[in-house]
Amino acid sequence: MDIHEYQAKEILARFGVPVPRGGLAYSPEQAAYRARELGGNAWVVKAQVHAGGRGAAGGVKVCKTVDEVQAFAASLFGKQLVTKQTDANGKGVYRLWVEGASDIAKELYLGFVLDRKSERIMIVASAHGGMEIEDLAHDDPDSLRRMTIDPAVGLTEFQARELAFVLGLKGGQIAQMVTILKACYRAYRDLDAMMVEINPLVITGNGDLVALDAKMSFDTNALFRRPMIAELRDRSQEDPRESTAGDHGLSYVGLEGDIGCIINGAGLAMATMDMIHLAGGEPANFLDIGGGASPERVVRAFRTVLADGKVSVILVNIFAGINRCDWVAQGVVQAYKEVGLTIPVIVRLAGTNVEEGNQIIQDSGLPLITADTLADAAAKAVAARPRLAA
Ligand code: GDP
Ligand code: MN
């Protein structure tokens, strides 16, 4: 689960990371009020959306007057901000963060991620911050410093100091960097984070380190024990198709194509999507209904897939191990009737109780198209798509 920049800054500040002073605004007037309240003569107005790359997309601006703050805020509210990290729809801007502008002498990059290979939290840092980590890894890979943290020991002082040295920090900055690294590590570990990123971590004109941007994301499987974090969820930033599916325990990812997929198991779902591509089609979604899918769950899956207006055919592909084909077949028949399906449905069942499952499909008398193999199912799905009017 992602959170907003201002929320990440608040959390990290609590652990000891220095951040600029700022305030949240829900309207242009409030943004102007925040600027006056903060004082000074320059402010940064920042769109709060769950995506990076806001600067380049016009979602961040340094303003010199309160009027400018208000005008820029007015231009942002309600807008769909499209950045390099969003899809073509962008993310809705409903909150702004206004902070006192910092004087930037140098931008560094600092990230904490989970390194699956070493099974440890890994620090990634670079003396060349400001640009996205993907670009940094592509354009300037030699600048990246990586360090893994032994979970039994935690981040040690000497490790943190070593990193500060290789980043070229001097004097008092080294102690500041040690504080920041330890604070981020503690926030990451104590709150079940998956990622902490400060980009840029800046050296100000006075030589101090300040987190100018902050990004945190959290392990959804641990949210049950982190109610304070769970509360930070902002559904306006989520794909409504995905969040509704998630509420019903379905793992769903919306895609661009028109072949709706209802599949059990993430691996089989990926394989099916590949097979659809191979057959010349485009999947409309990834959907894993999980093991032990009851007929009710299958109906829910149908509703989820159909909520996407682009779907012109549905492919059900079940390899039942834990699952039972007869249950799934019942669900398909029930869904067909309840939802009032009008588009073609291809069903491929294999595994536990496959004969019973196929019998249910046959006895239903519904115009369901059955398939034996994955390749057969994908080919039939592609062929069953209604021809688009010329
Ligand atoms: P992102 O583009 O979504 O990652 O948003 P950031 O918070 O990283 O801001 C983008 C860029 O805006 C930064 O890399 C800075 O160059 C600039 N910026 C942000 N805050 C300030 C500030 O206080 N002063 C100045 N001069 N520039 C800032
Ligand atoms: Mn940034």
Side-chain angles (χ1 to χ4, degrees), residues 5 9 20 43-44 46 51-56 60 62 99-104 107 130-132 199-200 212-214:
E5 171 197 4
K9 279 179 167 167
W43 303 269
V44 199
K46 312 182 79 175
R54 296 164 302 167
V60 175
V62 180
E99 67 182 23
S102 305
D103 171 19
I104 305 173
E107 299 188 323
M131 53 175 153
E132 306 299 321
N199 186 27
L212 219 62
D213 188 10

Side-chain angles (χ1 to χ4, degrees), residues 136-192:
L136 203 55
H138 182 265
D139 300 346
D140 195 7
D142 294 340
S143 82
L144 291 178
R145 310 285 164 195
R146 295 184 178 83
M147 185 176 270
T148 55
I149 303 169
D150 183 333
V153 183
L155 177 64
T156 62
E157 291 268 341
F158 80 81
Q159 267 187 311
R161 264 199 307 276
E162 188 189 335
L163 192 56
F165 278 124
V166 295
L167 291 173
L169 300 178
K170 303 266 181 311
Q173 291 165 358
I174 292 168
Q176 288 180 23
M177 188 63 175
V178 170
T179 302
I180 291 169
L181 289 168
K182 292 178 86 172
C184 290
Y185 175 64
R186 255 187 299 124
Y188 190 111
R189 196 198 49 193
D190 292 0
L191 301 175
D192 294 308

Side-chain angles (χ1 to χ4, degrees), residues 15-46:
F15 281 87
V17 175
V19 300
R21 284 200 317 131
L24 193 63
Y26 290 94
S27 71
E29 294 71 27
Q30 220 174 4
Y33 178 81
R34 288 300 185 203
R36 264 189 230 103
E37 188 182 50
L38 287 163
N41 50 21
W43 303 269
V44 199
V45 179
K46 312 182 79 175

Side-chain angles (χ1 to χ4, degrees), residues 301-383:
F302 267 91
R303 289 196 193 281
T304 302
V305 169
L306 285 168
D308 178 353
K310 297 192 308 303
V311 170
S312 66
V313 48
I314 292 183
L315 170 53
V316 180
N317 185 16
I318 303 294
F319 192 97
I322 303 167
N323 232 321
R324 290 171 36 183
C325 288
D326 52 331
W327 272 23
V328 173
Q330 271 170 31
V332 171
V333 171
Q334 199 176 318
Y336 207 101
K337 293 174 179 161
E338 270 183 41
V339 181
L341 274 175
T342 52
I343 59 174
V345 177
I346 290 87
V347 185
R348 183 252 177 168
L349 301 173
T352 312
N353 295 358
V354 63
E355 289 82 10
E356 289 90 328
N358 282 329
Q359 196 63 47
I360 292 169
I361 300 285
Q362 262 172 31
D363 293 349
S364 72
L366 297 171
L368 297 161
I369 303 166
T370 54
D372 291 330
T373 64
L374 179 48
D376 184 30
K380 281 178 171 161
V382 172

